[in-house]
């Protein structure tokens, strides 16, 4: 594949959300509420259009494939168990570092629209960061691990901003590594989308429960 075309696709994938955010600011659109989450759908749509129209390749080349209902259910269950299990495993570390509240504080900004946020993040972020980036960097370099590293760094860097602190972005490395491992295992976007959305839904529900409790 033409490396220039791939680099163009990577620029679109890894810089798409930042470009959309800048466009929203230029147009004076609100930065909170439901509207910003609607804008996020422009990125996977643009990536899919790029793959089909510019690269002339099917969406299966960026992971849009499912082996079947039973493998999908199995991979999703294993992925979600790994996500939740690793979160429990790492929680003492975040407590020891004094950053345990960083992720919860970020999540708390979205608890009033948790279903929309979880579904949107689960779908829109997986297409550019896991599907396109991992597949195309692997094609360019021959190294799935390098592709995963590029995806990891880009994903975490993109989450440092208005709602997420640097400490929260560091904590995001744990679920992001699990999602990357799951994608490298299955090469199935629908699987990692489902696991991402379900994990976010659990996190948002827990964050909402925490913020709803009276302070002691």
């Amino acid at each position: 594949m033409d490396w220039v075309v791939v680099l163009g696709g990577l620029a679109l994938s890894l810089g798409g959300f930042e470009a959309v955010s800048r466009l929203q600011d230029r147009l004076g659109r609100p930065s909170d509420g439901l509207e910003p989450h609607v804008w996020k759908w422009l990125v996977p749509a643009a990536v899919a259009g790029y793959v089909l129209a510019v690269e002339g390749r099917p969406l299966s080349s960026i992971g849009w494939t499912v082996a079947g209902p039973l493998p999908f259910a199995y991979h999703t269950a294993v992925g979600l168990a790994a996500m939740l299990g690793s979160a429990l495993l790492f929680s003492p570390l975040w407590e020891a570092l004094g950053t345990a509240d960083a992720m919860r504080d970020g999540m708390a900004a979205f608890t009033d629209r948790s279903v929309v946020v979880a579904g949107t993040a689960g779908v829109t972020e997986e297409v550019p960061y896991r599907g396109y980036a991992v597949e195309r960097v692997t094609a360019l370099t021959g190294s799935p691990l390098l592709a995963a590293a590029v995806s990891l760094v880009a994903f975490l860097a993109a989450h440092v901003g208005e709602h997420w602190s640097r400490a929260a972005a560091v904590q995001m490395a744990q679920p992001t590594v699990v999602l990357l491992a799951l994608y490298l295992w299955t090469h199935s976007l629908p699987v990692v989308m489902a696991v991402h959305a379900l994990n976010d839904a659990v996190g948002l529900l827990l964050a909402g429960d925490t913020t709803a409790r009276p302070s002691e």
Side-chain angles (χ1 to χ4, degrees):
M1 181 183 292
D2 188 342
W3 65 271
V4 175
V5 174
V6 173
L7 289 179
L10 287 171
L12 175 62
S13 294
L14 303 183
F17 288 113
E18 178 63 22
V20 167
S21 178
R22 289 176 180 270
L23 178 60
Q24 288 177 260
D25 291 342
R26 183 175 292 272
L27 295 176
R29 305 311 304 166
S31 61
D32 54 7
L34 292 177
E35 185 174 331
H37 301 285
V38 175
W39 281 80
K40 290 185 70 173
W41 288 89
L42 291 175
V43 177
V47 172
Y50 191 89
V51 171
L52 294 170
V54 179
E55 295 183 350
R57 302 191 67 185
L59 295 181
S60 58
S61 71
I62 58 168
W64 193 257
T65 180
V66 177
L70 289 179
F72 173 81
Y74 170 69
H75 291 146
T76 300
V78 171
L80 186 59
M83 289 284 269
L84 300 178
S86 63
L88 291 174
L89 181 65
F90 276 85
S91 60
L93 174 62
W94 310 135
E95 293 286 352
L97 293 175
T99 62
D101 292 335
M103 184 74 80
R104 287 194 293 266
D105 290 343
M107 286 280 193
F110 306 111
T111 53
D112 60 334
R113 46 193 183 278
S114 56
V115 174
V116 173
V117 173
T120 297
V123 175
T124 63
E125 294 177 351
E126 293 305 322
V127 174
Y129 288 113
R130 244 70 69 186
Y132 192 92
V134 170
E135 294 294 348
R136 296 302 185 260
V137 174
T138 298
L140 282 178
T141 66
S143 173
L145 292 180
L146 177 59
V150 170
S151 172
L152 174 66
V153 171
F155 184 78
L156 297 182
H159 279 79
V160 177
E162 181 180 0
H163 297 293
W164 304 102
S165 64
R166 285 185 173 83
V170 169
Q171 286 184 245
M172 283 184 194
Q174 167 258 314
T176 305
V177 167
V178 174
L179 287 171
L180 283 165
L182 183 63
Y183 184 78
L184 291 175
W185 177 36
T186 65
H187 288 273
S188 174
L189 274 178
V191 168
V192 291
M193 285 175 178
V195 172
H196 188 159
L198 289 169
N199 182 73
D200 280 7
V202 171
L204 287 163
L205 287 173
L206 291 176
D209 180 61
T210 300
T211 56
R213 293 176 186 172
S215 57
E216 297 179 357

